[in-house]
Amino acid sequence: MSFTHLDDRGQARMVDVTAKQPTIRSATASGMVRCGPAVVQALRDGAVPKGDVLAVARIAGIAAAKKTPDLLPLAHVIGVHGAAVDLEVSDDGVAITATVRTADRTGVEMEALTAVAVAGLAVVDMVKGLDKSVSLADVRLERKTGGKSGDWVRAE
């Protein structure tokens, strides 16, 4: 088995995508911030002392998608041409979905996952004063399109 991120000596390297042609690609990821009933009610009532939790988390997630190569050392610097982060308050907490799009040489799976993770962390940061037991869970890729490996959708 060969590993794309290891050189002939077994050392980590960035995969060279120079010769690849840019194609349209997208990825969608999801996650959940688990919150107790009091936090959920405060979110629904707009009563979180730090302000508009969902707006801050949405912007944090979009910004994070664009900063992915700064956080993950082997991620490529690519053009994030579209990023949407959606948050929905449910009885269990806040469901997060992020979709990132590009027309580049490599995919945006890590950008979508990073957007979800950072949006979730922003929610945690803003509500932790109400309940220290909130948690970020189930960050995962849901689907991707484009690229050499083609389209993929999580089976469940």
Side-chain angles (χ1 to χ4, degrees):
M1 173 187 283
S2 70
F3 295 97
T4 59
H5 285 76
L6 298 178
D7 66 16
D8 295 341
R9 296 173 296 176
Q11 296 179 341
R13 68 173 174 99
M14 179 184 251
V15 174
D16 186 351
V17 296
T18 307
K20 292 175 77 177
Q21 290 300 310
T23 60
I24 295 173
R25 302 157 183 264
S26 71
T28 299
S30 67
M32 183 75 181
V33 177
R34 303 220 183 273
C35 305
V39 173
V40 168
Q41 194 59 52
L43 287 164
R44 288 182 171 148
D45 293 344
V48 176
K50 287 191 174 183
D52 189 341
V53 174
L54 303 184
V56 170
R58 186 175 301 109
I59 296 302
I62 292 168
K66 298 188 296 183
K67 291 289 191 181
T68 299
D70 293 338
L71 302 170
L72 302 173
L74 299 181
H76 290 90
V77 176
I78 62 171
V80 172
H81 299 121
V85 177
D86 297 308
L87 299 101
E88 183 176 335
V89 178
S90 71
D91 290 342
D92 297 326
V94 181
I96 306 165
T97 304
T99 299
V100 179
R101 293 179 45 84
T102 190
D104 218 314
R105 291 175 169 86
T106 189
V108 285
E109 295 92 341
M110 296 313 300
E111 287 75 5
L113 288 162
T114 300
V116 168
V118 172
L121 290 171
V123 172
V124 170
D125 179 49
M126 293 190 72
V127 302
K128 72 182 185 293
L130 300 173
D131 180 0
K132 302 245 184 287
S133 71
V134 297
S135 63
L136 176 59
D138 305 321
V139 176
R140 64 191 200 171
L141 186 66
E142 296 294 341
R143 65 184 158 277
K144 63 145 308 259
T145 65
K148 181 177 166 184
S149 65
D151 296 353
W152 177 86
V153 176
R154 176 173 294 282
E156 279 201 61

